[in-house]
Amino acid sequence: MLALPLSACTIGIRPGTVSVGVGFGVELSPVITQFRPDRGEGSYYRVGESVRFVITLNRPGYITLVGVDPDGRAYEFDRFYLNPGTYTLPLASRQVQYTLTYPLGLQQVRAIYTNTPTPGSVRFEGRIYSDGLNSRTSSYLQLSGAQVRDVSDTYFYITQ
């Protein structure tokens, strides 16, 4: 019985990082080579502060950012196109900020890469239970129709 759930797990090593990924039911390509909060993974931010993310891609494509609050609510909070390179998000040219609000605690963020734009009707929203984030990510990737796709996770903490 244990062999079935574990059969979808893979451990991948990327330059400078060790990542544990789940197959998501689709093949992932190593496109996102870095994704972290500007203060570093596991860092602390206060309510009302803005968080920024550093992301590096080795090919052009579309990024969707998904947050998962400590209470299990998942939501998509940004989409954009990037060329290969290293960026600090949000891009200054877009004149937006990622301002932190309640609830307090662990904030997970997932960057999803696709080589084609995902239809606007395909979105993340709602409560995530157990492995629901991976299931929704798998559905998102399949509905995107993209031939090249990747996923990278990071986290930080929101305090008062």
Side-chain angles (χ1 to χ4, degrees):
M1 289 299 276
L2 279 178
L4 290 176
L6 295 177
S7 67
C9 279
T10 58
I11 296 177
I13 298 177
R14 295 185 178 171
T17 65
V18 176
S19 61
V20 178
V22 178
F24 301 110
V26 295
E27 185 176 329
L28 300 180
S29 298
V31 176
I32 304 170
T33 59
Q34 175 182 213
F35 181 57
R36 63 174 174 77
D38 59 340
R39 294 182 188 167
E41 195 163 75
S43 56
Y44 289 83
Y45 295 82
R46 292 184 183 277
V47 170
E49 286 187 311
S50 293
V51 63
R52 298 171 58 113
F53 297 96
V54 177
I55 190 168
T56 302
L57 304 178
N58 62 18
R59 62 187 300 163
Y62 298 85
I63 297 293
T64 300
L65 296 179
V66 175
V68 180
D69 285 344
D71 63 2
R73 186 177 66 89
Y75 53 92
E76 180 179 315
F77 65 94
D78 211 350
R79 284 187 190 195
F80 44 85
Y81 177 86
L82 293 175
N83 285 310
T86 299
Y87 299 89
T88 300
L89 307 174
L91 300 171
S93 62
R94 297 184 57 227
Q95 298 180 351
V96 298
Q97 290 186 332
Y98 304 145
T99 303
L100 301 173
T101 61
Y102 293 95
L104 302 177
L106 175 68
Q107 178 71 44
Q108 299 173 53
V109 181
R110 176 167 281 179
I112 302 172
Y113 167 91
T114 56
N115 68 323
T116 57
T118 301
S121 60
V122 179
R123 298 193 64 85
F124 275 87
E125 199 165 319
R127 291 234 180 261
I128 298 292
Y129 299 100
S130 186
D131 196 34
L133 181 60
N134 291 337
S135 297
R136 288 193 190 180
T137 299
S138 177
S139 296
Y140 182 94
L141 290 170
Q142 290 172 352
L143 292 170
S144 76
Q147 297 299 314
V148 181
R149 40 213 168 185
D150 195 12
V151 174
S152 185
D153 293 324
T154 193
Y155 68 96
F156 58 92
Y157 296 91
I158 302 173
T159 64
Q160 214 155 350

